[in-house]
Amino acid sequence: MKAILAPLLALLALTAPVHADPAMWEARDADSRIVLFGSVHVLPRALEWRTPALDAALAKSEHVYFETDVGPRGMLALTVKMTFAMFQTAAAPWLDLLTAEQRERLRVAIEPLGMTLEQATVMPPWLLSMQLAGLQLSGGDSGAGDYQFDTGVEWNLQWDLDLDHKAFFETPGEQFDLLASGTLDEQIEGLFSLLDEVSNAAGLDEMIAAWASGDVAGIEALIAPKSEAEQAAIEVLLYQRNRNWMPAIERLLAENRENLIVVGAAHLVGDGSVLDLLEQAGYTVTRIQ
């Protein structure tokens, strides 16, 4: 589970430059093109990341494609899935699987969330890990930084766009199932690995600086796996999903209509990225920002 959380969190945080110029590309065939923009999912409130090139692409695009729906309907779907997962977890509590030392560490960690151990362990361990990671990213008691989901790229764009202007490669349920993968023991291991980190946000400054400055090589170097476990996690989180999206992306090009794709920046760098797969398929890929 730690191997899943580490690269995921690396895509979530951002340091605090005032202005960002994230990378953008276009992919073309003989008579059509799509624009691709690499995003991050949480941002500090002061960061200005909307550029003239992005706004122009938004204005020209028939549809804007995202990884999944984080707008009102997506949030409702996730709430239903989370409620069902909590009912399942309540029927098979995992608090008894923890040692006395682990219980005390967890009790201290969840105090800022206003939860008791009994309340927290109604959640699956992976979901509690995400709650604690969000606490760190937003500052909380850790002082990590003012990183917010409601100022992130997808959140802002999706809540601004009309319903008929948005499209998605994955359902919220599919993303939920991806995050919920792993055995109970693996999820508990990932939870306590997260607690071993002093601050998930503080260690991500390099990643964020690379994104904000459009440093594609820097992002690629920073997400390079450091172990077989990380390699396996990245295969699941990035490369397999990139391959899954390709038929839909190629249909967009075949339809000869202008569309914009907004996905996490790590999906657009290096071997196995969406851009790499497009070039292998014979499309011309050019950086435009």
Side-chain angles (χ1 to χ4, degrees):
M1 191 65 183
K2 180 181 181 182
I4 291 287
L5 283 172
L8 177 64
L9 289 170
L11 306 180
L12 293 182
L14 192 65
T15 192
V18 175
H19 181 76
D21 290 297
M24 290 177 60
W25 295 263
E26 67 173 17
R28 288 185 173 273
D29 61 13
D31 54 8
S32 61
R33 78 162 191 163
I34 54 174
V35 176
L36 303 101
F37 178 81
S39 72
V40 289
H41 307 316
V42 298
L43 299 172
R45 296 195 184 281
L47 184 72
E48 297 178 6
W49 53 268
R50 295 279 290 262
T51 65
L54 176 59
D55 286 338
L58 284 165
K60 292 178 181 178
S61 295
E62 181 172 341
H63 291 99
V64 182
Y65 279 76
F66 299 94
E67 294 179 37
T68 195
D69 188 351
V70 296
R73 294 193 307 173
M75 292 299 98
L76 178 59
L78 281 176
T79 299
V80 171
K81 290 279 285 188
M82 287 181 182
T83 301
F84 182 69
M86 291 172 71
F87 275 118
Q88 288 183 310
T89 304
W94 51 275
L95 183 59
D96 292 343
L97 300 178
L98 306 183
T99 66
E101 179 183 359
Q102 286 176 321
R103 288 188 186 204
E104 178 59 18
R105 287 189 65 203
L106 188 58
R107 184 192 66 78
V108 172
I110 63 176
E111 280 183 348
L113 296 173
M115 294 181 183
T116 65
L117 278 174
E118 289 73 18
Q119 291 170 331
T121 53
V122 170
M123 296 183 189
W126 76 265
L127 183 53
L128 183 57
S129 296
M130 298 301 292
Q131 292 267 6
L132 290 169
L135 178 70
Q136 289 186 354
L137 293 173
S138 65
D141 280 4
S142 68
D146 184 26
Y147 306 131
Q148 304 292 335
F149 285 94
D150 64 356
T151 54
V153 170
E154 286 83 358
W155 185 280
N156 272 267
L157 292 181
Q158 289 191 31
W159 284 73
D160 284 349
L161 292 170
D162 293 334
L163 182 62
D164 60 1
H165 198 183
K166 296 181 288 188
F168 309 99
F169 292 123
E170 299 166 344
T171 68
E174 287 171 335
Q175 284 217 340
F176 183 98
D177 292 339
L178 176 68
L179 296 174
S181 64
T183 66
L184 186 59
D185 286 342
E186 289 170 341
Q187 291 183 37
I188 292 172
E189 179 184 356
L191 171 62
F192 284 95
S193 294
L194 182 74
L195 298 185
D196 288 337
E197 300 291 334
V198 175
S199 165
N200 283 295
L204 295 171
D205 285 350
E206 288 181 288
M207 168 68 73
I208 301 321
W211 177 83
S213 63
D215 181 2
V216 176
I219 295 173
E220 184 178 0
L222 288 164
I223 67 170
K226 300 175 180 61
S227 67
E228 290 185 6
E230 286 191 10
Q231 177 64 53
I234 290 173
E235 171 64 28
V236 172
L237 286 170
L238 296 180
Y239 302 136
Q240 182 58 57
R241 294 167 68 207
N242 294 345
R243 293 191 291 271
N244 291 345
W245 298 343
M246 278 298 293
I249 293 172
E250 291 196 85
R251 281 196 298 272
L252 297 181
L253 285 159
E255 290 171 356
N256 300 333
R257 295 171 180 165
E258 183 104 350
N259 291 285
L260 171 65
I261 293 174
V262 178
V263 293
H267 289 283
L268 302 179
V269 300
D271 295 339
S273 70
V274 171
L275 301 182
D276 179 47
L277 296 176
L278 284 167
E279 288 184 326
Q280 289 182 38
Y283 301 98
T284 300
V285 176
T286 305
R287 183 166 174 176
I288 58 174
Q289 175 173 288

